[in-house]
Amino acid sequence: MKDIMNAPFITEMRKTTANMYRLGWDERNGGNISYLLEEKEVLTYLDGTNVLRTIPLGFDATMLAGKYFVVTGTGKYFKNVEDAPEMNLGVLRIAKDGQNAELLWGFADGGKFTSEFPAHLMSHMARLSVDPENRVVMHCHPTHTLAMNYVHPLNEKEVTHTLWQMCTECIVVFPDGVGVLPWMLCGTNEIGEATAEKMKEFRLVIWGMHGIYGVGKTMDEAFGLIETVEKAAQVYMLTAHLPRVNIIRDDELQVLAEAFGVKYRKDFLG
Ligand code: 2HA
Ligand code: ZN
């Protein structure tokens, strides 16, 4: 068995959580990441027959039975993952019955997966149904995105349109737009189901006055999507109270999307 501390997926989780913490997106225990892993890779580091604990999921994840994830822990701080991955992360397999998680490594102080695991697993299921290569679900509380929620209409068309206008590359990075949910109680199956429904259409979903979800085939894709939204929201917040002198017009957004050959939400323009 190879040492899991050298596993690329653990290194990625350590680096990404540290990065997100320093960007101010994950205060205290805010935020969570889940990362779908290849069985053959996991089993070079861990004995798949050595289940440390079985933890009930509280919802049905039959579609993901037998799949392996590394995930951040409930109540854990992103700030601490880098130095103590075994306390703050867990590697688990969804049990055959789809009702439980089998812990293979981590959560060493008796902890368990993030309270947002319903939203994560339901989002994985929804994304895999439209993109079989999706691997990462990421949630965080980026400051300017959150600030924008309080001063801008909270609907998909207007949020996406404004963000597209704030940086030239936005429409190229997220041509599919940003899904928006109203404020809802977090940590529940209900918000998980609502998020997953949006994930069939969007790779980015704003949780009104809470934060954002981003997904992708890689950690870079999920991170890059959120990073681009956050940058655009920052530009919006830096300029929202100032007279607007210049704007990227809709016909220019269209030129951009066509030049880069992206399939964009035409109904979000105009
Ligand atoms: O896990 O961000 O949404 C902490 C959160 C809950
Ligand atoms: Zn949150």
Side-chain angles (χ1 to χ4, degrees):
M1 260 334 127
K2 295 193 276 181
D3 181 359
I4 192 164
M5 296 304 269
N6 299 324
F9 56 83
I10 295 293
T11 304
E12 256 187 302
M13 291 292 281
R14 293 168 77 173
K15 287 192 171 171
T16 305
T17 47
N19 200 4
M20 292 169 76
Y21 172 69
R22 291 204 181 84
L23 287 164
W25 302 355
D26 298 277
E27 74 291 344
R28 199 173 181 274
N29 63 320
N32 23 74
I33 305 177
S34 59
Y35 189 0
L36 174 58
L37 306 172
E38 295 284 351
E39 176 172 52
K40 65 174 186 307
E41 183 176 21
V42 174
L43 298 185
T44 64
Y45 298 100
L46 297 171
D47 174 0
T49 65
N50 186 20
V51 176
L52 306 177
R53 275 186 283 145
T54 298
I55 312 172
L57 289 173
F59 58 97
D60 180 52
T62 305
M63 197 192 136
L64 297 172
K67 300 273 191 227
Y68 294 77
F69 292 89
V70 59
V71 58
T72 51
T74 182
K76 301 302 187 192
Y77 293 20
F78 271 28
K79 174 173 76 69
N80 298 336
V81 174
E82 190 169 31
D83 289 335
E86 198 166 356
M87 292 291 177
N88 297 288
L89 301 177
V91 174
L92 49 82
R93 179 175 57 216
I94 307 304
K96 277 200 189 72
D97 63 6
Q99 308 299 315
N100 293 284
E102 298 170 330
L103 183 68
L104 299 175
W105 177 86
F107 301 144
D109 60 355
K112 66 176 213 170
F113 44 74
T114 167
S115 60
E116 304 298 357
F117 211 34
H120 278 251
L121 286 193
M122 291 177 197
S123 293
H124 278 285
M125 294 189 246
R127 283 313 297 173
L128 289 169
S129 73
V130 292
D131 175 9
E133 290 179 24
N134 194 79
R135 293 285 174 269
V136 177
V137 174
M138 182 181 281
H139 166 65
C140 58
H141 307 157
T143 312
H144 302 91
T145 305
L146 201 44
M148 185 177 168
N149 278 211
Y150 292 90
V151 298
H152 189 281
L154 262 185
N155 64 74
E156 281 150 11
K157 179 172 174 166
E158 287 176 86
V159 166
T160 301
H161 189 238
T162 298
L163 293 172
W164 281 350
Q165 287 180 320
M166 292 301 113
C167 303
T168 289
E169 298 196 349
C170 280
I171 197 169
V172 179
V173 175
F174 53 94
D176 40 350
V178 181
V180 176
L181 289 178
W183 186 91
M184 291 176 75
L185 181 62
C186 53
T188 64
N189 288 351
E190 287 70 31
I191 201 168
E193 285 155 12
T195 308
E197 199 47 43
K198 294 291 180 195
M199 287 290 181
K200 292 178 187 163
E201 204 180 331
F202 299 104
R203 291 174 298 155
L204 286 157
V205 178
I206 284 177
W207 277 9
M209 290 156 287
H210 178 141
I212 192 165
Y213 270 74
V215 299
K217 296 174 182 26
T218 63
M219 199 69 83
D220 270 355
E221 182 183 355
F223 182 90
L225 284 168
I226 294 175
E227 184 179 36
T228 307
V229 165
E230 173 61 0
K231 175 65 171 271
Q234 181 172 13
V235 174
Y236 176 78
M237 292 309 297
L238 285 169
T239 56
H241 56 296
L242 301 172
R244 184 138 289 148
V245 178
N246 300 304
I247 195 85
I248 307 177
R249 297 185 315 266
D250 278 7
D251 61 298
E252 291 170 329
L253 288 171
Q254 198 178 335
V255 165
L256 258 167
E258 279 162 17
F260 284 86
V262 293
K263 201 166 148 257
Y264 67 104
R265 285 290 298 251
K266 295 193 173 65
D267 57 322
F268 284 179
L269 288 184

